[in-house]
Amino acid sequence: MSHASSSQEARAEVERTPPRLPAAAVEGALEPSFPVWGLVWRSIVSAVGLWSVVAAPWAGVWFYKWIAERIALPGARGLTLDADVRDAWPLFVAMGLSGWREDGLGDVLDSKAALAVSVLIEAALWAWLVKWFVARLRSKAGTARCGFEGSFLGLAAWTVLFYIGVVSVIGWAWAIKNMLRWIVGRITGPFVVEFHASGSEILWRTVILLLACVPIVSIPWALKRWTNWMVSQFSVR
């Protein structure tokens, strides 16, 4: 009797337990939510923190954590950045020190050599930042983790191509497009990331951004609109 009673209770418990449903598919564009003033004043504070060098690690981690939390996967699944000052200080101290490089390079190199070295430093720092940021992205639920398999030299090379594109006035937009597609093609994780904007779209929207920034009072709105559009050009599936 006791065995039969236990079996009946077990069956009843199973019936009361709701079935586990498969996780909903994640597919669509990223959903940015950068506020007007929040983006501007945080950018200024983080820039000052980097310039000071001493506060650079705290300013950098604080700013990029905020950036990650303003971006959601399709369906409002929030992102977060699993980073702290202990693992980030070499990167952001190097970024802070690079802000002072002009004076140092100008003392020991001629103008052309100083420019070349400066571009290579910027390329190295950008590559380092991308690898650091992408590798620490997480979903707030903790179910999605990203990795990055792109090479340091590959990222640096794309950055150099961007600077070469700047010389051509408009070529930088296509360099950014291809660089971002190269980056997302090397992100690992539970989903595939793609970048959809064309070089011409990046170019004309950036021109509009610069024109909108001529009246200083419109800068916050122009920057918010451009940033939200740029992030929305990334999709996951």
Side-chain angles (χ1 to χ4, degrees), residues 187-207:
I187 293 176
T188 61
F191 38 68
V192 175
V193 185
E194 297 175 336
F195 182 72
H196 301 282
S198 65
S200 58
E201 287 177 316
I202 295 172
L203 178 62
W204 75 260
R205 286 180 180 272
T206 304
V207 170

Side-chain angles (χ1 to χ4, degrees), residues 215-231:
I216 296 176
V217 294
S218 65
I219 289 177
W221 288 269
L223 185 60
K224 173 208 168 184
R225 186 177 182 84
W226 186 90
T227 305
N228 282 335
W229 173 80
M230 198 70 175
V231 174

Side-chain angles (χ1 to χ4, degrees), residues 48-78:
V48 172
L50 288 174
W51 179 82
S52 73
V53 181
V54 175
W58 288 271
V61 171
W62 167 75
F63 180 71
Y64 284 102
K65 276 191 170 185
W66 181 81
I67 290 289
E69 290 170 358
R70 300 279 78 75
I71 302 171
L73 296 171
R77 299 172 175 86

